[in-house]
């Protein structure tokens, strides 16, 4: 992959990662939702999720360090206990898929995540016990085999009653643990060549400054406006991925 990527494509990915990092600094998510349509024609369907998984290690680690005092260990452990094996299974399943099918699945998940997030938001403070365990397992499968599912985890945490910095910190901690396992599965399956690590590092480094610019650039928008803009962008990106997947040769 590395030999086939041009400087212009690297620049495009860096720019989009920066914009995604800026969005993520306000909403708590961004790269996994916005980058798949950009990465797919550059690195190929099989590399999209592994590349984003590696780059997420950097972003989640930094967020966890920054908000460590607000980390909710009890909820994190409960979700991880059920999401961890499911995430490994989802990542393994991803390595068995064909390129076109991968695009369709990722695009469909991105689109379905929009109403799923709104449904979970309406459950604020009411998700616990077995419901939380089931949500954790379901999220684990999605997280392991697709990209852009951070929006689902944040919605799950909001549905448990967490707010503000506690959501950001707990999301980062859970995502970091699951991403380590996910990356481990991809390494074992040979799905992470050196070129994918290079692209992931570029994304991680480019997205970091965007976090610090986030409040200045997006501070004038309301939370509702952020959600609406994100929904539109994600829906368009999901549709693009589905069309690309359906056009791919069998």
């Amino acid at each position: 992959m590395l030999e086939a990527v041009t400087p212009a494509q690297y620049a495009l990915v860096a720019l989009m990662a920066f914009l995604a990092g800026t969005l993520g600094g306000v909403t708590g998510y961004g790269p996994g939702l916005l980058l798949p349509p950009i990465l797919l024609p550059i690195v190929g369907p099989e590399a999209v999720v592994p590349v984003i998984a590696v780059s997420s290690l950097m972003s989640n680690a930094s967020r966890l360090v920054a908000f460590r005092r607000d980390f909710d260990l009890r909820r994190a452990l409960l979700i991880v206990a059920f999401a961890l094996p499911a995430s490994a299974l989802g990542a393994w399943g991803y390595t068995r898929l064909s390129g076109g099918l991968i695009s369709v699945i990722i695009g469909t998940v991105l689109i379905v995540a929009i109403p799923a997030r709104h449904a979970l938001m309406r459950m604020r403070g009411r998700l616990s016990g077995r419901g939380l365990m089931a949500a954790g397992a379901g999220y684990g499968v999605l997280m392991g085999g697709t990209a852009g599912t951070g929006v689902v985890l944040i919605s799950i945490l909001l549905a448990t009653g967490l707010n503000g910095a506690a959501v950001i910190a707990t999301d980062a901690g859970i995502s970091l643990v699951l991403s380590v396992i996910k990356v481990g599965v991809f390494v074992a399956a040979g799905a992470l060549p050196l070129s994918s690590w290079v692209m992931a590092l570029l994304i991680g480094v480019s997205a970091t400054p965007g976090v610090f610019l986030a409040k200045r650039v997006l501070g004038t928008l309301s939370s509702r406006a952020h959600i609406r803009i994100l929904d539109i962008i994600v829906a368009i990106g999901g549709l693009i991925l589905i069309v690309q997947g359906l056009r791919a040769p069998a």
Side-chain angles (χ1 to χ4, degrees), residues 84-96:
L84 195 60
S87 177
L89 179 62
W92 175 82
Y94 178 86
T95 65
R96 316 303 296 178

Side-chain angles (χ1 to χ4, degrees), residues 29 33 107-122 148 151-152 155 227-239:
Y29 42 80
L33 286 170
T108 302
V109 169
L110 291 179
I111 293 175
V112 172
I114 297 173
R117 183 177 76 253
H118 289 291
L120 286 167
M121 290 287 287
R122 290 193 290 270
V151 61
V152 176
S155 300
I227 292 174
R228 288 177 179 175
I229 292 172
L230 185 65
D231 284 349
I232 293 173
I233 294 174
V234 171
I236 293 174
L239 288 173

Side-chain angles (χ1 to χ4, degrees), residues 65-148:
V65 170
F67 296 97
R68 60 187 180 278
R69 293 183 180 179
D70 300 289
F71 181 66
D72 190 308
L73 180 60
R74 184 181 66 84
R75 286 185 176 88
L77 288 176
L78 184 60
I79 293 176
V80 167
F82 288 86
L84 195 60
S87 177
L89 179 62
W92 175 82
Y94 178 86
T95 65
R96 316 303 296 178
L97 299 176
S98 64
L101 184 57
I102 289 173
S103 299
V104 173
I105 290 176
I106 295 177
T108 302
V109 169
L110 291 179
I111 293 175
V112 172
I114 297 173
R117 183 177 76 253
H118 289 291
L120 286 167
M121 290 287 287
R122 290 193 290 270
M123 295 179 62
R124 185 179 291 272
R126 291 183 291 174
L127 184 63
S128 62
R130 293 181 179 179
L132 183 56
M133 297 175 189
Y139 167 72
V141 174
L142 290 177
M143 188 269 187
T146 58

Side-chain angles (χ1 to χ4, degrees), residues 157-176:
L157 294 174
L158 287 170
T160 67
L162 290 182
N163 292 285
V167 172
I168 302 299
T170 308
D171 166 75
I174 294 171
S175 299
L176 180 60

Side-chain angles (χ1 to χ4, degrees), residues 1 13 39 43 46-56 186 191-192 195-201 203:
M1 181 194 74
V13 171
L39 285 174
V43 304
E46 292 83 359
V48 170
V49 172
V51 166
I52 292 178
V54 173
S55 66
S56 70
F186 289 144
L192 273 170
S195 53
S196 292
W197 288 93
V198 171
M199 184 64 76
L201 180 61
I203 293 172

